[in-house]
Amino acid sequence: MKRMSRRSFLATSGAAAIGGALALSGCGAGGSKAAGAMADGAWVGSGVGKHGTFNVEVAVKDGAIERINVLDARETQGMGDVAMEEISKLIVDNQTLNVDGVSGATLSSGAFINAVGDALTQAGADVSEWKTRAHAGMSDAEDIPTEADVVVVGGGGAGFAAAITAANAGKKVVLLEKLGILGGDTSLSGGEMAVPGNWIQLKQGVEDSPETLAEDMLKGGDNVGDPDLVKVIAEGTLDSSQWLTFEGGVSWEHDLLFFGGHSVMRSIIPQGHTGSEMIVKLTKRAGEIENLTIVKNMRATELVKDASGAVAGVKAESQLSGNAHEFKAKAVVLACGGFGSNVDMRVKYNADMDDKILSTDSVGAQGDGLTMASAIGAELIDMQYIQTYPTCDPETGALLYVDDMRLESRAIMVNKEGDRFVEELDRRDVLSNAIKSQTGGMGYMLWNQAAADETGLLKQHADEYDNLEKRGIIVKADTLEEAAAHFEIDADELKKTVERWNQFAKDGKDADFNYRADLFTIDAGPYYLNSYKPAVHYTMGGLHITTNAEVLDESGAAIPGLYAAGEVAGHKMGTNRLGSCSMADIYTFGRIAGDQAANFVG
């Protein structure tokens, strides 16, 4: 079948609006065709993904789909866009809508298939028939390696740091990711990174040091975390940020955020205010390294030990075919995240963290690394400490990035009664507990147009804002009374609260909660108000490791050949993790784990 370019195809076509979708077709809507037959043309269908409505163009010729173009999707880079690309190939190659979604991007996958179906409907197709055609699924990659010097389990930030570091040391590396997309919780995060001595601090004259960060982290975790592990993170994060910039190719915003519990503003922000910037760039860098192989849809199930007791490989199972695989190695790095999405494991260690609490985490955060390592005698530590993030979508549990207005020091938190109830930049656990005690277990965040304009945050997260506005989770209003009415908040009390806040801003001191950052007035509309509640975000417990990322057994001895980095490794954050310290951790200990594994191989 001859394929036509978009330009030549559209040049020979007319245009007509059909059912709200754009149809570019020489046949037109009134052309005669058999029932279920498709009219030639470039038809546009819509779907609703994680970040709102998007459109796809489906080019149809002689009853077949020639190509699919995504026109304006705003799905997460490295996740939703990857899913769409892979599903497009399945649909076009097999001429069916009976296709698999991509694990880890199920919402985007389903929305994309629906959008293609919508376009086919505009073309006159019987979409139900397309959905019952022969099934087309993704298959295992060809020539999956069976041996490596180092196997890394987990394709998030820690896994990439370990894999790239080991590969740059000349070792043959295989990185296993159980989902169909890479990134894990790193991609879902804002990617902000606590970095004392960063270039923006230096430019702005902010005094900071690794010692101050370490003090903040230990205090923020009630001094339960291991000071030696915390010191490694605090002293290594500046170098890790430089590694991301120059080795990983990551770009940064020229701004800082002030996370709760920190004593100074020190957190740098990846371009786009999302961790997907890191994963997209690290994926590209990894693809340039000849001795590094990434295998997706491969779930590690068991660690293999040799006769000496050293870890010598990983057993795994394909998530596509179900086939069993074994990857022989001389060292293994576990970087497969925590257990925030595993309700049974959460409740096992902390009965309060049941299924009534939603989670911000990737579906892959099931504690697989903890299960595998403890099965060979690894020690688990601090497992009862599970963090909730205070400002999450009350319906889905997803992180709310528009609520970073709080971290920009431009918003206040109020309750149903219209009153402030906590210092907005306090620790995450303090905020979460405060919110839980409010009417309906809900909090509300208020800021104004001036804050939106000066930070650019709503433009940066326009997709999320549109989604929240359509669902009534956020409202924009000209007056405080109108904003309050949307959530049935006491408007008179809210006005008094804002007046009191504005006076604090003018005085330069918060007499109620001792706000730790600069105070900005909220003295003119339009106003923005949104609802939120806490959701499980991070598990502080995990494998007990040394400062060299070695995994310890229950007797306190290092298990030869086994290393861990990132959320799978515990005893660093104590009872509570300060925001932006996870990125400092995963890239610092990820690189240490990769380096130590390479050294162990020799």
Side-chain angles (χ1 to χ4, degrees):
M1 183 182 294
K2 181 181 178 182
R3 297 187 182 273
M4 303 174 69
S5 70
R6 186 175 193 275
R7 177 177 296 178
S8 62
F9 188 57
L10 298 185
T12 60
S13 305
I18 302 178
L22 176 66
L24 301 175
S25 172
C27 296
S32 61
K33 56 182 181 292
M38 296 191 295
D40 289 357
W43 305 84
V44 176
S46 298
V48 181
K50 183 176 181 180
H51 295 290
T53 302
F54 61 84
N55 297 303
V56 299
E57 177 192 73
V58 179
V60 173
K61 188 173 188 293
D62 297 335
I65 298 176
E66 286 272 295
R67 69 169 186 276
I68 302 170
N69 292 331
V70 179
L71 298 180
D72 56 6
R74 296 179 291 185
E75 300 300 275
T76 304
Q77 271 192 307
M79 299 182 75
D81 58 341
V82 170
M84 291 179 181
E85 182 179 349
E86 294 190 6
I87 295 171
S88 287
K89 189 174 189 311
L90 275 181
I91 292 173
V92 174
D93 288 351
N94 299 281
Q95 296 295 305
T96 179
L97 290 185
N98 185 9
V99 297
D100 290 335
V102 175
S103 61
T106 52
L107 184 58
S108 296
S109 297
F112 179 75
I113 294 169
N114 288 338
V116 175
D118 182 33
L120 293 182
T121 297
Q122 312 310 320
D126 178 358
V127 173
S128 62
E129 186 273 328
W130 274 76
K131 290 183 177 180
T132 57
R133 292 185 178 188
H135 174 260
M138 298 172 191
S139 57
D140 291 342
E142 297 180 1
D143 301 323
I144 295 176
T146 58
E147 293 188 26
D149 294 318
V150 178
V151 169
V152 177
V153 181
F160 270 111
I164 292 172
T165 299
N168 282 344
K171 307 307 175 185
K172 181 180 178 181
V173 179
V174 172
L175 186 153
L176 305 179
E177 169 56 52
K178 73 175 177 181
L179 299 181
I181 47 90
L182 298 163
D185 281 351
T186 307
S187 280
L188 297 177
S189 76
E192 299 94 348
M193 186 173 183
V195 181
N198 67 71
W199 74 98
I200 302 175
Q201 282 186 324
L202 295 177
K203 183 177 180 181
Q204 295 180 358
V206 177
E207 293 187 11
D208 198 9
S209 68
E211 292 76 19
T212 304
L213 172 59
E215 290 172 6
D216 288 347
M217 290 178 65
L218 289 168
K219 180 181 178 182
D222 296 318
N223 293 300
V224 170
D226 184 337
D228 290 335
L229 297 179
V230 171
K231 182 179 180 182
V232 169
I233 296 169
E235 292 183 347
T237 183
L238 178 60
D239 191 52
S240 292
S241 72
Q242 298 298 307
W243 181 87
L244 283 167
T245 302
F246 299 108
E247 174 66 26
V250 173
S251 297
W252 306 91
E253 302 286 342
H254 295 283
D255 190 14
L256 295 174
L257 289 183
F258 202 145
F259 278 84
H262 291 264
S263 58
V264 299
M265 187 178 291
R266 59 164 64 97
S267 302
I268 60 175
I269 313 162
Q271 188 177 55
H273 286 249
T274 172
S276 62
E277 158 69 11
M278 296 168 166
I279 296 301
V280 169
K281 297 293 178 62
L282 290 171
T283 301
K284 179 178 182 296
R285 176 67 188 115
E288 298 167 348
I289 303 176
E290 187 175 351
N291 51 314
L292 171 54
T293 301
I294 297 174
V295 183
K296 296 189 292 186
N297 296 296
M298 188 64 67
R299 178 174 173 261
T301 58
E302 183 181 344
L303 293 170
V304 178
K305 297 176 80 172
D306 63 20
S308 72
V311 172
V314 175
K315 290 184 179 180
E317 180 180 276
S318 167
Q319 301 293 81
L320 300 176
S321 66
N323 292 337
H325 295 261
E326 182 168 343
F327 298 86
K328 296 180 180 179
K330 298 171 184 175
V332 172
V333 176
L334 296 177
C336 39
F339 58 99
S341 291
N342 186 331
V343 176
D344 289 341
M345 188 176 285
R346 278 163 32 188
V347 173
K348 177 181 178 180
Y349 294 103
N350 187 328
D352 293 334
M353 297 297 166
D354 59 20
D355 58 3
K356 296 183 181 67
I357 306 176
L358 299 171
S359 175
T360 70
D361 293 332
S362 161
V363 295
Q366 298 290 331
D368 294 344
L370 307 178
T371 302
M372 289 189 294
S374 60
I376 63 167
E379 181 184 16
L380 303 181
I381 189 169
D382 296 347
M383 294 291 285
Q384 70 272 33
Y385 301 128
I386 300 174
Q387 180 181 80
T388 56
Y389 192 85
T391 57
C392 299
D393 189 315
E395 295 178 354
T396 69
L399 290 169
L400 292 179
Y401 291 115
V402 295
D403 279 1
D404 280 354
M405 199 66 73
R406 172 180 66 92
L407 306 179
E408 294 274 8
S409 307
R410 298 302 298 266
I412 59 172
M413 299 168 68
V414 299
N415 56 20
K416 199 80 167 178
E417 292 69 36
D419 298 317
R420 285 178 71 217
F421 55 91
V422 71
E423 190 228 333
E424 288 78 359
L425 293 178
D426 212 324
R427 290 169 23 168
R428 288 174 174 177
D429 56 340
V430 172
L431 296 180
S432 292
N433 290 332
I435 294 163
K436 291 175 187 177
S437 67
Q438 304 308 306
T439 301
M442 193 83 75
Y444 304 88
M445 195 168 299
L446 175 73
W447 66 90
N448 65 356
Q449 190 64 50
D453 292 341
E454 290 166 22
T455 63
L457 199 60
L458 299 190
K459 289 183 179 179
Q460 195 75 55
H461 299 295
D463 52 350
E464 180 185 80
Y465 177 86
D466 291 345
N467 180 290
L468 296 174
E469 187 176 47
K470 287 175 182 176
R471 292 191 287 130
I473 292 171
I474 195 167
V475 64
K476 178 182 180 181
D478 290 329
T479 67
L480 287 172
E481 291 89 347
E482 292 175 44
H486 180 79
F487 293 109
E488 298 181 346
I489 291 172
D490 187 323
D492 290 337
E493 192 64 23
L494 179 62
K495 289 174 65 178
K496 292 178 184 177
T497 296
V498 172
E499 289 171 3
R500 184 171 176 80
W501 171 263
N502 287 339
Q503 187 59 53
F504 290 161
K506 292 171 184 175
D507 295 342
K509 181 173 177 58
D510 171 13
D512 289 339
F513 298 104
N514 196 27
Y515 191 80
R516 70 191 66 194
D518 292 337
L519 290 85
F520 290 85
T521 59
I522 307 175
D523 53 8
Y527 300 95
Y528 296 84
L529 192 65
N530 76 278
S531 60
Y532 55 84
K533 65 192 305 184
V536 169
H537 182 57
Y538 188 89
T539 48
M540 275 74 70
L543 301 173
H544 198 176
I545 63 170
T546 70
T547 54
N548 285 324
E550 302 160 297
V551 176
L552 298 173
D553 65 19
E554 292 177 345
S555 71
I559 299 174
L562 184 61
Y563 304 85
E567 196 172 346
V568 73
H571 207 40
K572 296 165 293 187
M573 306 300 174
T575 63
N576 170 71
R577 177 176 68 80
L578 298 188
S580 74
C581 289
S582 179
M583 296 298 111
D585 168 31
I586 66 175
Y587 293 113
T588 299
F589 266 109
R591 294 166 61 225
I592 290 171
D595 182 63
Q596 290 298 313
N599 289 340
F600 184 83
V601 170

